[in-house]
Amino acid sequence: MKNVCVITGGGSGMGLSVAKLLEKDIYIILAGRTVSKLEGAVEELKAMGKEVEAYPCDVSDRESVKALAAHAAGVGNVKMVCHAAGVSPTMCDAAAVFAVDCLGTVNVNEEFAAVMGEKSCVLNISSSAPVMLPRANVPRNLYPLADKDPDAFVKNMMITVNLGGPDFASGMAYSLAKDFVIWYTKTEAMKYGRKGIRFVSVGPGTILTDMGKAEAADGDMAMQLAMMGALGRAGEPEEVAELMVFLLSDKASYITGVDIPCDGGSQTGFQRLNEVGFGDPDAFRPISAIKQIGIITDDLEKTKAAFEKYGIVGWMDVQVTVGEQFFENAICYDKPQMFSVKSTTTSMLGIELELVEPMDEHSDYAAFLKKNGGPGIHHLSVETNDIGAVEALGKQVVVGAKIKGAPFGYKYFDFQDELGLILEYFPYVYNK
Ligand SMILES: NC(=O)c1ccc[n+]([C@@H]2O[C@H](COP(=O)([O-])OP(=O)(O)OC[C@H]3O[C@@H](n4cnc5c(N)ncnc54)[C@H](OP(=O)(O)O)[C@@H]3O)[C@@H](O)[C@H]2O)c1
């Protein structure tokens, strides 16, 4: 039985580059909307000695994809699906981006999962574009609708992108659509892993296909992202296709449920620039990361149970920290003061939540409870690139302690006058 590789969007760009690199014993089906383009690609591949045919398909149309999957299963064992069909913001409006890039991915992944089996792989193409999305604006809660109610999915996603104004709608839609592809690939990997089907996505940076060139020419955002990357250049389709062919093959048999960037370091470059606020990388940054939200409570077990009721679980065992046993150099309000607390944390949501219950009246934790009239957010735990410079700001240390036997502990500085916040620095390294 023939092993078949279906390549959606195979008439051009990265899809066609994958077809050129595939082993000759794999039967290739190129799918896309423009028949003349597919036929040109078939001729080119046949001249290279490949077994290949064209099959017209619009991935945004479920019936069209169903027919493609049935046809491919009739030809042989559908071992590989390279889903490279997609549109970009310069080509169409936001609704079309969602219809092709999101619903097209659902249609292709689901219809092919129904005809694929052991040792097969579906490869989706994401992008480095989602790295630029403000995380708070990413409506991942809407993503499951794409399977259950596609019309409601597009309608709600459109409401989200229109909030940013018409100038940004299709660009925002593209970044969200590719974030969806990353999420959906992981969802499908979990759904079909036990059936032996792997699902992976590859996230290209700016790649000089027809689509990539059009994006790079329009407002230049795509090219700016490429230039921010470690390599400082756009990529060629073959540079991504090599990775895609590897991932599709049995050589990648243990890789599934992940997005693998192939972007000349564009995502890394963008993240690095963000870490320094697009400014001087060596400038003093009193807050370079936010790691934890600290909540003070007068009844840790009760507050923990309340969080669990609202879906925040995964709390660590409660730690009882008796000051005399654990701390040295304990201070409150810049003066020596021993104190004891109970605490627990969970990292379930990506940012740590900490619950602290004071066990005596001696610390700022106890004073906070009194002042606040009950539990509440007390501090943010943050990182800085220069703790000495933070210290030199002269803010009052409301709580601090060195951990016995360790060179470090923590200090909470009072930034309430300027930020309305207490900032915790942990680990705070004690030099003396
Ligand atoms: N190039 C980049 O810089 C870049 C960066 C990140 C991600 N990507 C993604 O990589 C994928 C491949 O893009 P590419 O750069 O190789 O561009 P491309 O050459 O334009 O390839 C896209 C292909 O998708 C097909 N297609 C579009 N809509 C379709 C639909 N509804 N049904 C079936 N086929 C459809 C197109 O053919 P027809 O129009 O004839 O159907 C075309 O052959 C896309 O998902 C793109 O978003 C590209």
Side-chain angles (χ1 to χ4, degrees):
M1 201 178 193
K2 284 176 190 167
N3 280 329
V4 175
C5 177
V6 176
I7 307 179
T8 68
S12 63
M14 285 180 262
L16 179 55
S17 293
V18 166
K20 288 178 183 169
L21 290 174
L22 283 172
E23 296 291 339
K24 285 199 178 124
D25 60 354
I26 293 175
Y27 187 92
I28 302 167
I29 300 177
L30 301 181
R33 294 169 304 181
T34 315
V35 174
S36 57
K37 194 157 74 179
L38 295 175
E39 284 172 348
V42 164
E43 287 312 305
E44 201 180 339
L45 292 166
K46 279 193 172 156
M48 294 170 72
K50 313 260 182 187
E51 257 200 297
V52 54
E53 68 169 297
Y55 195 96
C57 172
D58 180 343
V59 296
S60 64
D61 174 352
R62 187 72 175 237
E63 289 309 311
S64 177
V65 177
K66 196 188 271 284
L68 171 67
H71 172 73
V75 172
N77 168 38
V78 184
K79 191 165 172 60
M80 307 169 183
V81 172
C82 173
H83 174 42
V87 287
S88 64
T90 53
M91 294 171 159
C92 53
D93 63 17
V97 170
F98 289 132
V100 176
D101 291 356
C102 297
L103 300 184
T105 299
V106 171
N107 294 341
V108 168
N109 285 218
E110 279 291 290
E111 290 301 333
F112 277 95
V115 300
M116 292 169 83
E118 277 290 318
K119 293 190 176 178
S120 63
C121 178
V122 176
L123 183 142
N124 295 317
I125 305 193
S126 61
S127 167
S128 47
V131 77
M132 295 183 288
L133 284 170
R135 298 313 300 172
N137 293 1
V138 177
R140 283 205 167 180
N141 56 326
L142 295 178
Y143 292 179
L145 275 178
D147 254 333
K148 293 179 196 140
D149 187 345
D151 291 341
F153 169 77
V154 174
K155 194 172 147 217
N156 283 290
M157 293 298 278
M158 285 302 294
I159 293 170
T160 308
V161 295
N162 283 332
L163 291 175
D167 290 351
F168 299 103
S170 57
M172 176 88 173
Y174 183 74
S175 295
L176 284 177
K178 293 303 186 179
D179 185 67
F180 170 84
V181 169
I182 293 168
W183 176 87
Y184 193 72
T185 302
K186 291 175 199 265
T187 305
E188 294 290 272
M190 294 307 295
K191 189 168 168 187
Y192 294 109
R194 301 298 201 273
K195 204 182 157 191
I197 313 176
R198 293 182 299 111
F199 286 77
V200 286
S201 58
V202 165
T206 301
I207 307 300
L208 297 172
T209 60
D210 289 347
M211 180 192 288
K213 286 177 195 162
E215 288 305 319
D218 182 74
D220 230 3
M221 194 55 225
M223 199 46 90
Q224 280 177 34
L225 191 56
M227 298 316 283
M228 282 176 204
L231 298 184
R233 64 169 175 86
E236 296 297 332
E238 299 74 29
E239 292 182 279
V240 187
E242 290 283 359
L243 170 66
M244 290 162 71
V245 169
F246 168 75
L247 289 170
L248 285 163
S249 78
D250 288 342
K251 288 180 190 158
S253 57
Y254 205 50
I255 302 177
T256 191
V258 283
D259 182 68
I260 302 178
C262 183
D263 63 359
S266 298
Q267 293 192 45
T268 301
F270 183 83
Q271 281 159 344
R272 277 292 156 94
L273 282 173
N274 255 284
E275 281 167 17
V276 297
F278 287 83
D280 173 5
D282 297 324
F284 168 43
R285 304 189 68 218
I287 305 171
S288 57
I290 298 177
K291 302 189 299 183
Q292 183 198 71
I293 299 170
I295 295 161
I296 307 299
T297 172
D298 51 358
D299 187 337
L300 190 143
E301 289 300 342
K302 192 172 144 203
T303 308
K304 182 161 83 95
F307 270 103
E308 284 169 347
K309 182 176 139 198
Y310 291 108
I312 298 183
V313 295
W315 295 93
M316 305 291 283
D317 288 347
V318 173
Q319 192 177 336
V320 178
T321 307
V322 177
E324 284 78 5
Q325 291 170 15
F326 285 90
F327 295 145
E328 49 197 18
N329 299 338
I331 45 175
C332 286
Y333 311 123
D334 285 337
K335 296 204 177 77
Q337 176 65 67
M338 196 48 83
F339 56 89
S340 301
V341 291
K342 286 189 217 169
S343 62
T344 180
T345 58
T346 176
S347 299
M348 181 198 165
L349 300 180
I351 186 163
E352 193 170 84
L353 286 184
E354 180 185 44
L355 298 178
V356 180
E357 179 188 329
M359 290 165 65
D360 53 39
E361 294 294 313
H362 306 147
S363 63
D364 183 61
Y365 306 125
F368 173 86
L369 274 178
K370 209 174 270 175
K371 193 172 139 206
N372 200 48
I377 294 179
H378 171 259
H379 63 267
L380 296 183
S381 183
V382 300
E383 269 175 10
T384 177
N385 62 350
D386 190 343
I387 190 67
V390 170
E391 192 95 56
L393 294 172
K395 303 285 183 188
Q396 188 180 50
V397 178
V398 296
V399 181
K402 177 176 173 301
I403 294 163
K404 267 189 187 168
F408 61 85
Y410 55 81
K411 277 192 181 178
Y412 292 53
F413 293 90
D414 189 350
F415 285 80
Q416 290 182 93
D417 54 342
E418 290 179 279
L419 303 176
L421 290 170
I422 290 169
L423 300 183
E424 175 190 8
Y425 290 87
F426 173 84
Y428 176 92
V429 177
Y430 286 75
N431 293 319
K432 295 171 198 159

